[in-house]
Amino acid sequence: MDGATECYLVGAGELVPGGWQNVNPKPGTSVNVHIVCADTCGDSCVIDFTRNYPERVPVICNAPDNIDTLLCQPTTLSLPVSGGENSRCSVVSGPGEVSQGNWTYYADHDTSFCVTIRCLSLCDSCDAAFCVTVDMNDAPVCELPNDTTIFLCAPGTVCLPIGATDVNGNFSYCQIDYDDKGGSLGYVVNGQWCYDVSQDVVVTVPIVCYDSCGTVCRGGFTVTFDVNEPPVCPVIADTSVFLCEPSPVCIPFVGLDRDDNLVSCDVVSGEGTVTQGNWCFTPTASGVYNVTIRCTDECGATCEESFTLTVNLNDPPECHSPSN
């Protein structure tokens, strides 16, 4: 410019070196500003403008609720945070960061912490906090039967409980550890391993247990099944005896039992008794005696043996004297 210039303000605010300012304007209002500048030669210029001051919109922080989460594998947590229109949010305390309206954090281990978010606008701010507990999944721990021997009186189905403990509380199920379409290793139903026993057999069972994350534990057990067999009675041949006088007749009679669970051997038909491994009978007259002996084990299984004893009891001689 060619000479000194002075500027005059008409309206709100004030002129300051290099410009115009309006201190503490009232939100929701507008002001019209008219500024005239003139030099010493009488030339002038005019500046007219309107400044609007919008209503003040408070910043309201929106943070997530506290969370307790189980993670099957390391992952990035992402939770929405916001402070309203024209605000910007950031983490002021705790881990993670805010990006594109979400708080994010890479979780790869068990941990617990709290996060404070601050949201700012041109005229306002707010803080909000939330807490996070991260529980990384652990594998279940199999709980399976010990190796055992099971005795059965008769063929049938035997079931043993199988399962697993899980510190995360997300145990799902157990199954036989490979595809056993033939059923030779039994089957799993309602948390139990079951086997249809028809004969003596030894079964070694591999088991795998899963949690809801698909993490597994593996184990196994061996079961020896022993199915009862009936006792075996000795074979007694039919026998004939001659007795000078009534006296005991004894025949060895010992029942055999592979399972070692024989209870008794008893006469069920005919004469005599079985004691100390012998059948004994004291006949008082000649005759044919039919005997049946039955042996019984603890399971109620039996065997029977029948034989015939022919007794000839001595008759005294008859004296014959000659006639006179």
Side-chain angles (χ1 to χ4, degrees), residues 8 24 59 83-84 113 148 165 204 227 258:
Y8 304 92
N24 294 325
V59 178
F113 54 80
T148 186
T165 58
T204 298
V227 181
R258 182 189 69 87

Coordinates of all heavy atoms in Angstrom, one line a residue, residues 8 24 59 83-84 113 148 165 204 227 258:
Y8 N -11.5 -0.2 10.5 CA -12.5 0.1 11.6 C -13.5 -1.1 11.5 O -13.8 -1.6 10.4 CB -13.2 1.4 11.3 CG -12.3 2.6 11.2 CD1 -11.8 3.0 10.0 CD2 -11.9 3.3 12.4 CE1 -10.9 4.1 9.9 CE2 -11.1 4.4 12.3 CZ -10.6 4.8 11.1 OH -9.7 5.8 11.0
N24 N -15.0 -16.2 23.1 CA -16.2 -16.8 23.8 C -17.5 -16.5 23.1 O -18.4 -15.9 23.8 CB -16.2 -16.4 25.3 CG -15.0 -16.9 26.1 OD1 -14.5 -18.0 25.8 ND2 -14.5 -16.0 27.0
V59 N -19.9 -34.4 23.8 CA -19.3 -35.7 23.5 C -19.7 -36.7 24.5 O -19.5 -36.5 25.7 CB -17.7 -35.6 23.5 CG1 -17.1 -36.9 23.1 CG2 -17.3 -34.5 22.5
G83 N -17.5 -41.4 20.3 CA -17.9 -40.3 21.2 C -18.9 -39.4 20.5 O -19.1 -38.3 21.1
G84 N -19.4 -39.8 19.4 CA -20.4 -38.9 18.8 C -19.8 -38.2 17.6 O -18.6 -38.4 17.2
F113 N -7.2 -56.9 32.2 CA -6.8 -55.5 32.2 C -8.0 -54.6 32.0 O -9.1 -55.1 31.6 CB -5.7 -55.2 31.2 CG -6.1 -55.6 29.8 CD1 -6.9 -54.8 29.0 CD2 -5.7 -56.8 29.2 CE1 -7.3 -55.2 27.7 CE2 -6.0 -57.2 27.9 CZ -6.8 -56.3 27.2
T148 N -8.3 -103.0 33.8 CA -9.1 -103.8 34.8 C -9.5 -105.2 34.2 O -9.5 -105.4 33.0 CB -10.4 -103.0 35.2 OG1 -11.0 -103.7 36.2 CG2 -11.3 -102.9 34.0
T165 N -11.8 -83.7 32.1 CA -12.0 -82.4 32.9 C -11.4 -81.3 32.0 O -10.6 -81.5 31.1 CB -11.2 -82.4 34.2 OG1 -9.8 -82.7 34.0 CG2 -11.8 -83.5 35.1
T204 N -8.3 -103.6 24.1 CA -7.5 -102.4 24.4 C -8.1 -101.2 23.6 O -8.3 -101.3 22.4 CB -6.0 -102.5 24.0 OG1 -5.4 -103.6 24.8 CG2 -5.2 -101.2 24.2
V227 N -15.7 -114.5 31.2 CA -17.1 -115.0 31.2 C -17.1 -116.4 31.9 O -16.3 -117.3 31.6 CB -17.7 -115.1 29.8 CG1 -19.1 -115.6 29.9 CG2 -17.6 -113.8 29.1
R258 N -13.0 -124.0 36.4 CA -12.0 -123.1 35.9 C -11.9 -121.8 36.5 O -10.9 -121.1 36.7 CB -12.1 -123.0 34.4 CG -11.0 -122.2 33.7 CD -11.4 -121.9 32.2 NE -12.5 -121.0 32.1 CZ -12.3 -119.6 32.1 NH1 -11.1 -119.1 32.2 NH2 -13.4 -118.8 32.0

